[in-house]
Amino acid sequence: MSVSEITETRQYLTFKLGNEIFATDVAKVREVLDLTTITQIPRTPDFMAGVINLRGSVVPVVDLRLCFEMSKTESTRNTCIVVVEVLLDNESTVIGALTDSVEEVIDLEPDQIQPAPRIGTQIRTDFIKGMGKRDTQFIMILDIDRVFSAEELSAARGQEACKSESGKQPIEKQVVDKLLVEAAA
Amino acid sequence: MSIASKADQFKIAFREEGREVLVDLESALLELNENRDDTELVGRVFRALHTIKGSGAMFGFENLAAFTHNLENAFDEVRNGRLEISSELIDLTLSALDQIRAMLEEGEVGAPQADPSARAEILANVRHLMGRPEKPSAREMPAASNTSTEAGCEACTGIDAGPMREWSIHFAPSAEFMLNGANPLLLLRELGQLGGLSVKASMAAVPPLSELDPERCYVSWEMVLATAADRDAIRDVFIFVEDCCDLTIEAVMSPASTADSVSARGQASIVAQTDSAVASAADLTARALEDKRATSGGRRNYDAPDNASSLRVPAAKLDHFVNLVGELVTVQARLSEIAAQRDDIEIAAVSEEIERLTSSLRENSMNIRMMPIRATFEKFRRLVHDLARDLGKSVELTIEGADTELDKTVIDQLGDPLMHLIRNSMDHGIEPPEFRAARGKRSTATIHLSARHSGASVLIGVSDDGGGIDSEAVQKRAVERGLVGAGAQLTESEIFALLFQPGFSTAKQITDVSGRGVGMDVVRQRVDSLRGSIDVTSEPGLGTRVTLRLPLTLAIIDGLLVSIGEACFVLPLANILECIELTCADIERANGKHMANVRGEIVPYIRLREHFNTRTPRPEIEQIMVVQTEQGRYGFVVDRVLGNCQTVIKNLGRFYRHVQAVSGATILGNGTVALILDPERLAQDAIRAISHNARGRPAGAAVKHGSGREAKVAAQAAT
């Protein structure tokens, strides 16, 4: 989805990662939780923070800061888990996203949203649906489905490094890749 | 409830029952094909057809009933020794069965299309076999324009225009009868169409005018009907109102009746006054069967397991029930934890009691979900029969351990993988009969399906006595496709693992049966999603055996709670052999080797805190959990053993589906999440990691394994 598809006034939940303000469509958000105990899963990439108990079901939590190449989330009083419902391969999945703090729900008119600039943001532009402007601040509206689809892919790569995408790479290269990934993990 | 939805309920009930009867019919037919003189089997086929016909007509599936009737006739001939069982008859009946199934499912989403022209063709062939000329086809296909009940009656009245008989019918609608929109007059008129009807209305229940509610029905009727139609046809008239009226249909002695069948039938009566659609459907069929048995003078009952002592429950209800038990187990764990913290004997006692109850409740509810695998296995007789015919091979299916029980969820998922494995065996594994004869093998090949329990898993085997897997061809193909390097030395199991790659096929040409390389990939994916594993063994010239190892249940297991650092993990109790201590002194004595001496036996162990990169200081005394895996005994070293626990398995979800060593998660009494370890995969994972660390640089060749699970990258090639 791109900015051109935003044609009506929508509500967005804004949250902070570091000093940056991000937003996501409220319709995607199931709930916002205070930080609870996160059970880490051994031998998984760092951005996959672990799982939590959400009223009896087990929900994976992702460290959004690590997804966007910031430092690991420190737990503070304001740290929140935003529980979102995303579509991964047309399958609805509930995922928690660690954020530094949750701000508010705002209305944005379509004309308040501009396309994401090609350069100048520290996160991948295809994760950004558009840039909202509010007072003097820019708000990055995330395409949350895409963020998690990409993370899922990289998780898969972290786990199955030996399984290259193209299938045409020479074997030696695959093995080296695998070892590199394992060394990094 | 409106009448329409009642009727729908009947149809649903009939569909469910019909499906079961069809399965039985199919297996009876296939057995009959092998033992053609078995009159018992002929009887079984006949009864199944009769049941379908009878209840089909009853529930408004007139086309189906009429179609089945013709088949029934054919088997009646067989029963009476006027028609021989032949392959043509069996094949015709089998394809007719497919049509019946299609008609049964008509209107369901994704159901196969019923094909009237195919039906007509089958009937023509059946008649040809019976040596009868083409009859006017009005009976086989009642015109679709007729209203349903009338069509049903015509179909039934047409059947075997038997001797005229008199029936006494007592029809007492309930007071709410007319509130439901039913009109008794219409019903009486319809009865009148069946034959000569005399009606007497009983007005005894009509109250004085002051108390009369004009919307209620106070009248009941006594009728005598002289007709050639049978009981089913009469009952059909009342089909939609059966459960809001009191209905008795009795055969009356009459001079017209030839004293045999009716007197044998006696005064069998039917009283339908039940409010549950399922119960009434089952009841009616049971009665219809009983009725039938009476007429033929003590023929044995229908061969299905007796329905009297079991009841049918929708799977969704069961799932919900099991979920609730799961929640209860979680809450109980919390209660136990709280009770343990308080110094209160009374609470402790109650908590223990509840623990005991929950535990047996859990076992019971799990048991309810367990089903024998028989039905799934039996289904393949047909597949093998059809494929053998299509491929011009002679194949026999043998089944072992059909009573092995496993979770319904697992059984539901098993059908597809087994089908692909069997197709594969039939097409690639088993050689043509001439070829087999030339090699001195029995010309009839065997496919053997087996199931047995092993710890907390169940082993499902598909083996054939065909030509085995040509491992050279497989490797050659893999090199061509760039899956392995040329000249790589692969072990047998690595080569067989290649077979499960998507799109991998050694078939020179694609046939209807196989060759696209899809099937084995499906097998792997499905088995992976069930967290099972696949093992292939093959002897060139002697056959191939594929074994699927699957977990017994996907819901709740007994586990042992252990801690490593601050994290808690659950190991399935079924895998654990024993726990032994590991002290610092032991470690020093072993000189860095990860081996423990268990009563003289060497058990290699894996220190999970190292494997998981746990950074907390390690305790003085650690615990080795000795587990039994496919590859042998291993020890997993943990910090502490916390105790037994009942574990409700929660799926980790899509996001963590690549994590191999963890089979799920569970919620502990204190609300935190503990991970359930999969010993089998944990061992593989750890061995892989260790062999990598030990080597330090990559070796020459590697297998790129699709699942990534057992990608033993070049481990063997390097040595």
Side-chain angles (χ1 to χ4, degrees):
Chain A
M1 201 194 281
S2 71
V3 69
S4 58
E5 287 167 49
I6 304 175
T7 52
E8 54 189 356
T9 310
R10 286 212 182 159
Q11 291 195 311
Y12 297 89
L13 178 82
T14 61
F15 54 86
K16 270 186 166 176
L17 300 177
N19 293 323
E20 209 71 64
I21 299 186
F22 291 87
T24 178
D25 194 335
V26 165
K28 290 272 173 202
V29 179
R30 284 252 298 232
E31 59 191 300
V32 177
L33 304 171
D34 282 331
L35 189 60
T36 62
T37 323
I38 300 180
T39 305
Q40 288 181 9
I41 299 193
R43 300 178 74 81
T44 50
D46 280 345
F47 74 86
M48 292 163 84
V51 287
I52 54 165
N53 167 13
L54 178 61
R55 290 186 303 278
S57 48
V58 174
V59 172
V61 177
V62 167
D63 190 334
L64 265 193
R65 288 179 58 110
L66 288 176
C67 294
F68 298 152
E69 277 146 37
M70 303 181 189
S71 61
K72 197 170 184 304
T73 306
E74 301 293 329
S75 98
T76 68
R77 265 180 54 208
N78 287 330
T79 310
C80 283
I81 299 173
V82 179
V83 180
V84 291
E85 204 168 330
V86 296
L87 279 180
L88 300 177
D89 283 349
N90 291 324
E91 197 181 314
S92 177
T93 309
V94 176
I95 295 179
L98 265 182
T99 60
D100 284 337
S101 65
V102 166
E103 303 284 298
E104 58 183 333
V105 175
I106 56 168
D107 287 329
L108 283 179
E109 304 288 337
D111 60 10
Q112 285 176 293
I113 301 172
Q114 292 163 12
R118 290 280 170 105
I119 49 166
T121 58
Q122 64 275 60
I123 73 172
R124 275 167 54 179
T125 46
D126 58 334
F127 289 172
I128 305 175
K129 238 188 227 179
M131 300 285 279
K133 194 165 177 294
R134 195 174 145 86
D135 303 330
T136 55
Q137 238 177 340
F138 284 108
I139 298 168
M140 277 184 265
I141 301 169
L142 292 174
D143 188 338
I144 205 86
D145 286 344
R146 200 168 275 180
V147 173
F148 286 119
S149 304
E151 294 312 334
E152 193 204 25
L153 274 184
S154 72
R157 238 171 270 137
Q159 290 295 319
E160 299 188 41
C162 59
K163 187 177 171 184
S164 82
E165 298 245 75
S166 67
K168 293 241 165 72
Q169 284 184 30
I171 297 296
E172 280 78 7
K173 170 96 169 66
Q174 287 169 25
V175 176
V176 172
D177 280 352
K178 180 184 159 69
L179 288 176
L180 284 177
V181 171
E182 281 199 350
Chain B
M1 191 174 286
S2 78
I3 289 188
S5 72
K6 276 279 187 216
D8 281 351
Q9 276 186 22
F10 281 131
K11 289 198 174 186
I12 290 167
F14 170 62
R15 275 203 184 106
E16 290 210 343
E17 189 196 306
R19 278 181 209 130
E20 274 173 29
V21 177
L22 283 178
V23 167
D24 185 67
L25 176 58
E26 191 164 66
S27 66
L29 276 171
L30 292 166
E31 276 176 53
L32 190 61
N33 194 23
E34 274 146 38
N35 314 304
R36 297 203 173 161
D37 303 325
D38 193 334
T39 48
E40 186 58 42
L41 283 170
V42 175
R44 214 168 109 195
V45 171
F46 182 77
R47 281 194 298 276
L49 285 171
H50 185 78
T51 308
I52 293 169
K53 183 191 85 173
S55 15
M58 209 153 72
F59 296 117
F61 291 79
E62 294 83 19
N63 285 350
L64 189 152
F67 178 65
T68 315
H69 172 69
N70 287 282
L71 291 169
E72 193 191 339
N73 279 349
F75 275 87
D76 198 31
E77 299 274 285
V78 173
R79 222 169 36 152
N80 298 333
R82 285 198 290 268
L83 186 65
E84 283 277 301
I85 292 282
S86 58
S87 306
E88 292 86 52
L89 182 63
I90 299 275
D91 283 341
L92 264 178
T93 318
L94 282 173
S95 47
L97 194 121
D98 292 335
Q99 289 298 325
I100 294 176
R101 190 170 282 145
M103 282 191 268
L104 191 65
E105 307 288 342
E106 226 163 6
E108 296 279 290
V109 185
Q113 280 290 316
D115 180 2
S117 62
R119 288 206 301 265
E121 197 185 317
I122 291 169
L123 286 184
N125 287 332
V126 169
R127 244 178 260 117
H128 180 71
L129 274 182
M130 287 162 71
R132 295 244 183 105
E134 194 89 2
K135 278 195 285 185
S137 65
R139 244 175 243 168
E140 287 79 46
M141 308 276 164
S145 59
N146 287 1
T147 59
S148 59
T149 358
E150 273 171 0
C153 296
E154 270 176 27
C156 296
T157 39
I159 293 165
D160 287 338
M164 290 294 269
R165 200 180 292 163
E166 280 193 358
W167 301 85
S168 143
I169 302 163
H170 169 74
F171 172 51
S174 66
E176 291 82 25
F177 189 74
M178 292 193 292
L179 291 178
N180 290 341
N183 185 346
L185 271 185
L186 287 180
L187 292 170
L188 298 187
R189 210 168 285 159
E190 220 174 289
L191 262 188
Q193 286 171 0
L194 289 179
L197 182 71
S198 64
V199 185
K200 192 171 147 244
S202 156
M203 313 293 261
V206 179
L209 196 58
S210 56
E211 290 163 30
L212 185 108
D213 179 348
E215 290 187 328
R216 287 175 174 267
C217 179
Y218 300 101
V219 188
S220 61
W221 287 269
E222 297 291 339
M223 290 163 278
V224 178
L225 176 67
T227 175
D230 62 357
R231 182 191 303 274
D232 285 347
I234 300 171
R235 204 190 296 129
D236 263 350
V237 174
F238 296 97
I239 180 165
F240 293 113
V241 296
E242 233 160 8
D243 56 338
C244 47
C245 71
D246 198 351
L247 179 68
T248 320
I249 303 171
E250 281 176 11
V252 180
M253 291 297 151
S254 80
S257 70
T258 45
D260 57 340
S261 66
V262 175
S263 59
R265 191 187 293 252
Q267 294 286 308
S269 70
I270 181 141
V271 180
Q273 196 187 31
T274 46
D275 45 2
S276 141
V278 177
S280 80
D283 194 42
L284 285 176
T285 326
R287 272 162 199 278
L289 282 169
E290 211 172 86
D291 201 21
K292 191 69 208 164
R293 189 172 49 176
T295 46
S296 67
R299 196 189 304 144
R300 229 162 58 82
N301 202 348
Y302 185 57
D303 283 356
D306 55 334
N307 297 341
S309 57
S310 65
L311 90 176
R312 199 175 292 154
V313 182
K317 276 192 188 172
L318 210 58
D319 287 346
H320 187 60
F321 173 64
V322 170
N323 280 345
L324 285 178
V325 173
E327 304 277 308
L328 186 65
V329 169
T330 313
V331 173
Q332 178 265 318
R334 215 160 80 209
L335 179 65
S336 302
E337 183 145 329
I338 293 171
Q341 282 163 9
R342 303 209 176 165
D343 203 11
D344 188 331
I345 297 172
E346 279 175 21
I347 287 190
V350 173
S351 153
E352 263 175 42
E353 187 87 332
I354 290 183
E355 186 171 342
R356 202 171 49 76
L357 283 174
T358 336
S359 162
S360 58
L361 182 62
R362 176 194 66 117
E363 259 169 45
N364 273 304
S365 61
M366 286 300 111
N367 257 333
I368 295 178
R369 288 170 63 94
M370 295 303 231
M371 278 176 27
I373 199 167
R374 178 178 300 280
T376 310
F377 276 4
E378 291 290 338
K379 222 169 56 185
F380 292 114
R381 286 198 187 279
R382 173 76 187 276
L383 177 78
V384 170
H385 170 88
D386 285 3
L387 273 182
R389 190 191 51 203
D390 294 350
L391 294 168
K393 292 175 182 176
S394 162
V395 184
E396 173 183 271
L397 182 73
T398 55
I399 288 175
E400 181 192 333
D403 289 323
T404 309
E405 289 194 326
L406 60 166
D407 196 290
K408 184 176 179 310
T409 334
V410 182
I411 288 197
D412 289 347
Q413 302 276 319
L414 258 182
D416 279 359
L418 285 180
M419 180 193 74
H420 288 297
L421 288 174
I422 290 175
R423 288 171 82 101
N424 221 46
S425 276
M426 299 272 301
D427 200 23
H428 302 308
I430 288 170
E431 316 93 327
E434 318 81 63
F435 195 82
R436 290 179 64 92
R439 280 202 179 176
K441 283 177 165 181
R442 213 157 66 88
S443 65
T444 301
T446 310
I447 289 189
H448 186 69
L449 283 177
S450 63
R452 69 183 172 87
H453 285 217
S454 155
S457 327
V458 68
L459 301 178
I460 311 280
V462 180
S463 50
D464 63 60
D465 59 353
I469 298 172
D470 182 352
S471 45
E472 273 177 28
V474 172
Q475 189 166 354
K476 202 167 135 234
R477 190 83 187 86
V479 173
E480 278 168 29
R481 294 205 42 195
L483 292 170
V484 294
Q489 288 183 3
L490 302 176
T491 63
E492 206 159 61
S493 62
E494 281 168 333
I495 292 174
F496 295 154
L498 290 168
L499 295 172
F500 294 92
Q501 288 287 333
F504 190 91
S505 173
T506 53
K508 286 167 196 75
Q509 63 188 56
I510 293 170
T511 63
D512 282 351
V513 181
S514 63
R516 285 176 206 280
V518 178
M520 292 298 104
D521 185 38
V522 170
V523 174
R524 185 183 57 77
Q525 278 181 5
R526 196 58 68 81
V527 171
D528 270 2
S529 76
L530 289 171
R531 296 211 161 257
S533 61
I534 308 171
D535 180 53
V536 184
T537 54
S538 176
E539 289 276 329
L542 291 178
T544 307
R545 179 180 177 80
V546 180
T547 309
L548 310 180
R549 172 183 283 270
L550 299 166
L552 257 186
T553 167
L554 300 173
I556 306 184
I557 56 163
D558 266 319
L560 199 63
L561 192 64
V562 300
S563 73
I564 300 165
E566 283 160 4
C568 290
F569 296 91
V570 174
L571 279 161
L573 205 54
N575 294 80
I576 297 176
L577 296 174
E578 59 183 317
C579 305
I580 46 179
E581 285 186 352
L582 178 72
T583 60
C584 288
D586 290 333
I587 296 172
E588 273 167 34
R589 221 176 302 140
N591 284 332
K593 285 194 293 292
H594 284 196
M595 308 268 190
N597 185 341
V598 183
R599 289 182 297 279
E601 198 186 332
I602 290 175
V603 176
Y605 60 77
I606 295 152
R607 300 186 62 190
L608 292 183
R609 58 169 38 248
E610 285 170 12
H611 188 59
F612 292 165
N613 283 328
T614 311
R615 291 193 187 88
T616 51
R618 69 176 209 88
E620 268 298 293
I621 300 172
E622 290 168 295
Q623 304 287 333
I624 307 178
M625 323 292 309
V626 181
V627 295
Q628 184 71 46
T629 70
E630 286 277 86
Q631 290 93 18
R633 281 184 191 187
Y634 284 101
F636 292 124
V637 182
V638 301
D639 287 2
R640 256 159 31 92
V641 175
L642 301 174
N644 264 351
C645 65
Q646 292 177 46
T647 310
V648 183
I649 303 178
K650 305 266 179 183
N651 202 332
L652 276 185
R654 227 188 121 81
F655 218 73
Y656 282 105
R657 69 193 157 144
H658 305 288
V659 181
Q660 296 299 331
V662 178
S663 60
T666 186
I667 292 167
L668 298 179
N670 61 9
T672 57
V673 180
L675 302 175
I676 303 167
L677 299 174
D678 180 338
E680 205 78 44
R681 297 192 178 183
L682 188 58
Q684 286 169 0
D685 206 29
I687 294 162
R688 199 164 69 214
I690 289 165
S691 64
H692 275 303
N693 292 346
R695 196 164 301 121
R697 59 177 302 272
V703 182
K704 185 174 82 74
H705 188 279
S707 77
R709 186 177 69 232
E710 31 184 349
K712 302 167 193 158
V713 180
Q716 280 79 4
T719 51

